[in-house]
Structures are given as structure tokens and as C-alpha cells.
């Protein structure tokens, strides 16, 4: 099918979709690569658990616990990527139908609330990790290691959240606020 047969809006959409598919290493943060590595380790551990349980008939004891901890790590470190891209879920109804100044005030309130929440998360997680002395059940590793990974996730989310807030304040807008032309 040639581009001449396509409606103009379909052709534009096709061009935009093609541009979105391009991958650039510079668009990714360090946490993205760490999360990817942890995800693949999680995949191998879960496959090992499945293989040992259903093919060999005897499950490896440490795989279930380690899969749980790797999933926690992937979740918290991967959240930093979502904060950096400002892609956490949001209710866009108010941003879309309120005047620009109200939307900007709401966006600023959301940015400040997120920074406050993540700061509290950093503090609580640090205190919890510092007080944890228990060992993992199936592996001779302290459980505090997991809490420190969660702490790293909270710190990364906080740093990325501050970066997003600064970007919003410099531009005087947010990705959620639409211009008059977009309505």
C-alpha cells in the first residue's frame, strides 16, 4: 500500500510511530540497565525454579525466596525509570478541563507532594534497613541488603522526582497540562 492511498492523518501517525520505535542508549538512565540485569537474573531464577520443580521433581530451596527479592528489587529500581519519564499513572481529568494556571498549580502541588512522599520513604527505609539484623531463610545473606536496595530505589526516585519538578518549573508547564491548541 503506498502512502498516496492513506488518509493524511493515518500517514502522519505512521511516521510518528516509526520515530517512536528508535532506540537511543543516551535516553536511558543507569537505573534502567541495572533493572534490566536484575530482571534477567529474576527470569533465570524463576526458570530454574520451574525446571527443578516440574521437570526434575524436586524444587531448589533458595529459588522462591530469591525470586521474591529480585522482584522487589526490579519493582523499586524500575520505579525510578517511571519517575524520570514522568509516566506514573495520574488523573488527567482536572488538568485537561481546568484553566492553565489552575493546572500548573495542581502540577506543582503534585511535584512537591511526590518529593515529600519519597523523602519520607527514604527516611523510613533507611531506618528499617539500619535496624534489620535478620538473615534470609534459604541463603546466608542479611535481609538488610534487600532494604538497602529498596532504599536505593527510593533515593533514585527522589532524585529523578526533583529533576522532573525542576524541569516543570523551568518550562512553566507539565506533560499533563495541555496548551489551548491541544483542546
Amino acid at each position: 500500500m503506498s502512502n498516496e492511498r492513506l488518509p493524511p492523518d493515518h500517514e502522519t501517525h505512521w511516521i510518528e510511530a516509526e520515530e517512536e520505535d528508535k532506540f537511543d542508549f543516551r535516553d536511558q538512565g543507569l537505573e534502567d540497565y541495572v533493572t534490566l540485569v536484575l530482571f534477567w537474573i529474576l527470569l533465570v531464577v524463576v526458570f530454574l525454579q520451574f525446571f527443578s520443580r516440574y521437570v526434575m521433581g524436586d524444587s531448589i530451596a533458595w529459588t522462591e525466596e530469591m525470586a521474591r527479592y529480585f522482584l522487589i528489587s526490579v519493582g523499586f529500581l524500575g520505579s525510578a525509570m517511571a519517575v524520570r519519564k514522568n509516566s506514573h499513572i495520574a488523573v488527567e481529568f482536572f488538568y485537561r478541563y481546568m484553566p492553565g494556571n489552575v493546572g500548573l498549580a495542581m502540577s506543582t502541588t503534585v511535584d512537591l507532594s511526590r518529593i515529600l512522599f519519597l523523602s519520607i520513604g527514604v527516611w523510613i527505609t533507611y531506618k528499617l534497613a539500619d535496624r534489620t539484623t535478620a538473615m534470609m531463610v534459604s541463603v546466608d545473606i542479611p535481609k538488610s541488603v534487600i532494604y538497602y536496595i529498596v532504599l536505593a530505589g527510593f533515593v533514585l526516585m527522589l532524585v529523578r522526582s526533583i529533576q522532573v519538578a525542576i524541569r516543570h518549573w523551568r518550562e512553566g508547564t507539565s506533560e499533563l497540562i495541555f496548551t489551548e491548541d491541544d483542546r
Side-chain angles (χ1 to χ4, degrees):
M1 180 180 245
S2 73
N3 287 343
E4 296 160 351
R5 295 184 203 167
L6 296 175
D9 59 332
H10 186 320
E11 181 179 326
T12 305
H13 177 70
W14 178 76
I15 292 170
E16 289 173 4
E18 182 179 306
E19 290 175 3
E20 289 176 10
D21 289 341
K22 294 181 181 176
F23 180 80
D24 187 7
F25 287 102
R26 294 171 292 188
D27 292 340
Q28 311 307 315
L30 177 63
E31 65 269 17
D32 300 348
Y33 297 110
V34 171
T35 304
L36 182 65
V37 168
L38 290 175
F39 178 78
W40 278 100
I41 293 171
L42 169 65
L43 180 81
V44 169
V45 168
V46 169
F47 176 77
L48 195 61
Q49 180 183 22
F50 171 81
F51 183 79
S52 67
R53 179 176 291 169
Y54 295 109
V55 175
M56 305 301 286
D58 189 21
S59 182
I60 300 172
W62 57 269
T63 56
E64 184 177 345
E65 184 179 21
M66 293 310 293
R68 184 179 321 124
Y69 293 142
F70 277 113
L71 184 60
I72 291 168
S73 301
V74 166
F76 277 93
L77 294 176
S79 291
M81 175 177 47
V83 171
R84 186 186 77 242
K85 294 181 177 184
N86 200 27
S87 63
H88 275 117
I89 60 170
V91 179
E92 297 179 10
F93 175 80
F94 295 107
Y95 293 104
R96 186 176 293 251
Y97 295 108
M98 296 290 179
N101 291 338
V102 175
L104 184 58
M106 291 174 64
S107 175
T108 302
T109 303
V110 167
D111 286 339
L112 293 173
S113 300
R114 180 174 44 211
I115 290 169
L116 177 65
F117 174 79
L118 293 172
S119 298
I120 293 169
V122 166
W123 177 253
I124 290 172
T125 308
Y126 171 73
K127 287 298 206 180
L128 183 62
D130 194 40
R131 292 181 182 171
T132 302
T133 58
M135 301 297 277
M136 294 181 189
V137 175
S138 59
V139 183
D140 198 24
I141 299 173
K143 273 190 177 178
S144 62
V145 169
I146 299 303
Y147 292 119
Y148 282 117
I149 292 172
V150 171
L151 174 65
F154 268 120
V155 168
L156 283 169
M157 284 187 278
L158 177 61
V159 168
R160 295 302 189 180
S161 183
I162 292 169
Q163 289 173 341
V164 166
I166 290 171
R167 185 177 69 229
H168 289 168
W169 297 333
R170 281 185 180 161
E171 295 172 357
T173 186
S174 170
E175 284 86 2
L176 297 175
I177 300 174
F178 301 97
T179 63
E180 293 297 323
D181 297 335
D182 295 334
R183 290 185 182 180

